[in-house]
Amino acid sequence: MEIAPSSSRFKLYDQFELLEFPDKYVVKPVESPEEGFSVDRRDGNIKPLDENASSGNPTKVSTIYGVGGTIRLLAGTYLLVITSREEVGNFLGFPIFRVTAMKFLPCNEALRFATAQEKKDETYFRTLLQALETTPGLYFSYETDLTLNLQRRCKLAEGWKRKPMWKQADPRYVWNWHLLEELIECKLDGFIIPLLQGNILFFIFLIFCFASSWTVYIFAELKLKNSPAVISIISRRCTRRLGTRMWRRGANLEGDTANFVESEQIMEINGFKFSLLQVRGSIPLLWEQIVDLSYKPRLKINKHEETPKVVQRHFHDLCQRYGEIIAVDLTDQHGDEGELSKAYATEMEKLPDVRYVSFDFHQICGTTNFDNLGVLYEQIGDEFEKQGYFLVDADENILEEQKGVIRSNCIDCLDRTNVTQSYMGQKSVNLQLQRIEVFDSTECISTFEEDYTKFRTIWAEQGDEVSLQYAGTYALKGDLVRYGKQTMTGAIKDGLSAMSRYYLNNFQDGDALDLISGRYTVGTHSPSQLQPIGSQPSFLPVASALLIGGVTVTSFTIHQAGRNTQQYLASALWAGVTAGVVAMIKANGRHLCSRPRLCHLI
């Protein structure tokens, strides 16, 4: 449904009336009230509007800004609508919006006929939908697709822009792809909004230059001119292995990895558009890290006969999409990380077309030596520069193409990875500005302190967004990106984030993402899969109470111990009880933690 026939570009409806009737919901575009559709509140069936569809008096009328799709649970269908949005900037001239509020509307009148177990399961599924309503980092546009990088966009056929938005999009980066199926079947193209999870950040900086010599030194007595530039960073999260940090590690059997994110750094200056792509993703082996209340749970590599094929599938897909791949492994070379890194290196030896580089970030850079990434650049700089970047001029003529990407990983693919990607992005900006002679071969962006700070800040904010979506907290090591060193404020922030990650790792699971991605499909004719887990009692409240009580009484009796021998014995007794509770919690840590109920880890 193309609503701007005079234009050669497909455009979605951008504002709707939501009419709620006792028996149905009606969604009508504000600019085309005769169009629209209704959703039956009893069974979730979708129908185009007819003359009588919106007759009568609705119980409620509200404004919404998009329809995110539908999902079927045990008792019926739920309709996802965007209730609030915020314009965050422009992408290649088109307005970009962030979802600030959304809601699942129930169409589940059949719930009253459900069994007790079905009602219990439906309640659990609805809590997952409520969690999904607060999903961070969802972006969309009514006028352009956000899932394709600039190089792919510029190389597509002319008629591509006239296709419905969902047909333009890359499904692997559409967060709500699974929810769009019924809307697609009903041919509601003008309503189907592909949502991108990731982040889109912008800033504008000015490069001051001599009018005659294009040098970067500034003297007050000389006449200056400005070269304005816009830098954007767009990160696209892949939906093929969605999940939260501890509960979604490594790869699945198809070669899709956890926390796989494509990051694109775009610079627009003097009519030119530059694009640099980098990707991150969990180590593409079959491995896991089961939480057990310890701060850093042990890593476990699953021995599987399919492992070589998994690695091969992963890198074959990357090579098909991006060209030459440099796999940069930032993990430690000792302990559990070292064992995982060795297993990764062993598998990479079987792939001669992919260069694997091991770089122990913690050993070489520590927490303060951001500039030591130059050691890594010495190893891969020549190949990185040969991979290049994408460049088009003001007439959309392609001047350069990116011939490959760097694939970075640490364990989480968050903190160390983001510092490294920021460094490579900075190196590419220097090369790009030298390409159009804004810089000469000796100049770099770090010369402009204020703008360099903005550049590093936008990469740090990008890291925070990616971290929030995967780990639930801001990224660690953000100071290394922002300032090139660790600060006291940053250390305190990292400590708080680390404590938050600990809680989320142990007591929050990733069932909601399995549901939204279609990895788990609710079946109405199968026994409850939640009953065995849901019926298990939780010993955590009892254990916590015993631990807190033991520590409190032990402290009190120790304080009183100087009075007589009996107090000494009481102190020893309660200290022993406390130690026993601690040992019990440690031994049963896995059973005390929250864990996913819907899907296996691989």
Side-chain angles (χ1 to χ4, degrees):
M1 183 183 305
E2 189 167 348
I3 62 176
S6 60
S7 172
S8 61
R9 182 180 296 275
F10 188 92
K11 185 177 182 298
L12 295 169
Y13 297 121
D14 59 6
Q15 192 169 331
F16 309 85
E17 266 194 340
L18 173 65
L19 293 80
E20 300 183 30
F21 295 89
D23 61 336
K24 62 179 177 287
Y25 298 107
V26 172
V27 177
K28 299 196 303 184
V30 171
E31 58 189 286
S32 300
E34 70 282 358
E35 304 288 346
F37 63 94
S38 64
V39 183
D40 195 306
R41 296 183 72 161
R42 294 164 297 184
D43 55 18
N45 286 337
I46 298 174
K47 297 180 180 179
L49 287 185
D50 55 33
E51 294 180 359
N52 300 319
S54 57
S55 59
N57 296 319
T59 57
K60 183 179 179 181
V61 178
S62 56
T63 299
I64 61 174
Y65 301 97
V67 178
T70 62
I71 186 168
R72 288 191 177 272
L73 301 183
L74 288 171
T77 295
Y78 292 78
L79 176 70
L80 177 62
V81 296
I82 299 170
T83 57
S84 179
R85 69 187 181 189
E86 176 188 9
E87 186 171 351
V88 295
N90 285 271
F91 175 58
L92 304 177
F94 301 103
I96 304 302
F97 298 89
R98 180 173 57 228
V99 176
T100 52
M102 55 186 180
K103 185 176 182 181
F104 281 97
L105 303 176
C107 307
N108 61 348
E109 291 295 322
L111 184 60
R112 56 184 174 175
F113 303 111
T115 65
Q117 184 60 49
E118 288 174 337
K119 289 180 179 179
K120 182 179 179 180
D121 290 352
E122 186 80 359
T123 299
Y124 178 69
F125 289 132
R126 290 190 66 172
T127 62
L128 299 183
L129 296 186
Q130 291 172 0
L132 290 169
E133 290 174 350
T134 60
T135 300
L138 295 180
Y139 295 84
F140 65 94
S141 174
Y142 299 108
E143 300 181 55
T144 191
D145 169 54
L146 302 178
T147 64
L148 298 185
N149 58 64
L150 185 60
Q151 183 161 315
R152 286 188 64 187
R153 291 168 65 95
C154 291
K155 298 178 72 174
L156 289 170
E158 182 65 28
W160 166 77
K161 297 176 183 178
R162 293 192 291 270
K163 290 183 178 181
M165 201 71 71
W166 67 269
K167 288 187 177 180
Q168 299 180 30
D170 185 342
R172 77 184 67 219
Y173 297 122
V174 179
W175 178 83
N176 58 328
W177 185 257
H178 175 63
L179 306 185
L180 299 178
E181 293 177 357
E182 289 195 60
L183 298 180
I184 291 173
E185 289 177 6
C186 295
K187 296 180 170 57
L188 296 170
D189 293 343
F191 298 84
I192 300 174
I193 297 181
L195 297 175
L196 169 72
Q197 187 180 35
N199 67 328
I200 302 178
L201 301 169
F202 308 87
F203 76 85
I204 299 174
F205 67 94
L206 301 178
I207 299 176
F208 296 102
C209 308
F210 285 128
S212 57
S213 60
W214 290 97
T215 64
V216 296
Y217 297 100
I218 301 173
F219 296 95
E221 66 269 17
L222 297 176
K223 183 178 180 181
L224 303 175
K225 73 174 185 178
N226 304 333
S227 286
V230 178
I231 292 267
S232 310
I233 297 179
I234 301 177
S235 291
R236 305 175 177 96
R237 177 175 296 280
C238 182
T239 62
R240 291 186 174 179
R241 191 157 166 73
L242 281 178
T244 50
R245 177 175 173 242
M246 287 296 185
W247 295 115
R248 197 65 82 238
R249 295 296 207 186
N252 57 21
L253 294 177
E254 289 73 37
D256 305 310
T257 60
N259 199 25
F260 186 89
V261 180
E262 176 190 88
S263 294
E264 181 175 20
Q265 176 180 285
I266 297 175
M267 179 168 65
E268 301 174 67
I269 180 171
N270 295 342
F272 295 99
K273 294 186 183 73
F274 293 89
S275 165
L276 173 73
L277 291 173
Q278 298 184 74
V279 297
R280 68 178 74 190
S282 190
I283 292 177
L285 303 179
L286 304 177
W287 63 281
E288 59 190 17
Q289 192 174 15
I290 306 300
V291 296
D292 57 3
L293 294 181
S294 61
Y295 178 73
K296 194 173 183 180
R298 297 294 302 273
L299 305 177
K300 178 186 175 183
I301 303 173
N302 297 319
K303 305 297 183 182
H304 198 289
E305 60 183 8
E306 288 288 307
T307 294
K309 293 182 179 179
V310 167
V311 179
Q312 184 179 10
R313 289 172 189 140
H314 176 74
F315 281 100
H316 175 75
D317 179 60
L318 291 185
C319 291
Q320 289 287 103
R321 285 190 286 144
Y322 299 110
E324 299 175 359
I325 307 297
I326 303 174
V328 176
D329 180 11
L330 302 168
T331 55
D332 297 346
Q333 296 303 297
H334 59 273
D336 283 359
E337 287 193 21
E339 292 300 315
L340 183 60
S341 180
K342 289 176 185 176
Y344 185 22
T346 299
E347 294 299 331
M348 294 304 293
E349 290 176 358
K350 305 171 186 177
L351 300 178
D353 295 333
V354 178
R355 185 181 176 195
Y356 170 80
V357 178
S358 177
F359 181 81
D360 190 332
F361 185 98
H362 284 149
Q363 177 68 30
I364 299 173
C365 296
T367 60
T368 58
N369 299 313
F370 176 75
D371 290 337
N372 282 2
L373 280 169
V375 176
L376 173 63
Y377 196 79
E378 288 177 2
Q379 298 180 54
I380 65 173
D382 289 343
E383 291 174 79
F384 174 68
E385 293 178 18
K386 288 178 183 178
Q387 285 182 350
Y389 43 79
F390 183 70
L391 170 62
V392 293
D393 62 18
D395 298 321
E396 300 297 326
N397 297 313
I398 297 176
L399 306 180
E400 302 278 356
E401 291 188 35
Q402 186 170 345
K403 304 175 185 66
V405 297
I406 291 180
R407 182 205 188 277
S408 304
N409 73 267
C410 44
I411 291 298
D412 297 326
C413 304
L414 295 176
D415 314 316
R416 289 171 278 184
T417 297
N418 202 64
V419 174
T420 303
Q421 288 195 341
S422 169
Y423 186 88
M424 304 310 293
Q426 171 191 333
K427 290 292 186 180
S428 186
V429 163
N430 294 335
L431 294 171
Q432 293 164 13
L433 292 174
Q434 290 167 11
R435 169 66 170 77
I436 58 174
E437 299 181 343
V438 173
F439 286 171
D440 66 31
S441 60
T442 64
E443 296 162 349
C444 59
I445 188 176
S446 59
T447 305
F448 307 96
E449 183 175 351
E450 181 178 351
D451 295 321
Y452 183 42
T453 299
K454 292 179 182 178
F455 176 83
R456 291 186 300 190
T457 298
I458 199 174
W459 267 102
E461 290 178 355
Q462 187 263 172
D464 284 341
E465 286 281 338
V466 172
S467 182
L468 280 169
Q469 294 160 21
Y470 185 54
T473 72
Y474 291 116
L476 308 183
K477 299 181 175 67
D479 277 2
L480 285 181
V481 181
R482 286 182 174 89
Y483 312 117
K485 61 181 180 180
Q486 183 79 62
T487 66
M488 180 60 69
T489 301
I492 294 172
K493 180 181 175 183
D494 285 355
L496 294 174
S497 292
M499 288 189 290
S500 296
R501 283 187 185 181
Y502 174 80
Y503 172 79
L504 294 171
N505 292 341
N506 287 282
F507 306 117
Q508 296 289 322
D509 57 56
D511 278 343
L513 295 177
D514 286 331
L515 192 63
I516 198 72
S517 66
R519 191 164 183 259
Y520 177 87
T521 302
V522 177
T524 57
H525 302 293
S526 59
S528 171
Q529 296 185 31
L530 300 179
Q531 187 173 4
I533 297 176
S535 62
Q536 291 179 356
S538 173
F539 298 102
L540 184 61
V542 176
S544 300
L546 287 173
L547 180 60
I548 294 172
V551 171
T552 302
V553 175
T554 300
S555 301
F556 177 76
T557 54
I558 289 176
H559 180 70
Q560 301 292 326
R563 297 184 179 182
N564 53 52
T565 304
Q566 185 176 4
Q567 292 291 347
Y568 277 115
L569 294 176
S571 298
L573 174 64
W574 281 106
V577 170
T578 303
V581 172
V582 170
M584 185 269 292
I585 291 175
K586 184 176 181 180
N588 296 276
R590 290 195 177 191
H591 303 290
L592 298 174
C593 296
S594 176
R595 56 192 300 117
R597 304 182 180 189
L598 302 183
C599 296
H600 297 294
L601 297 184
I602 296 178

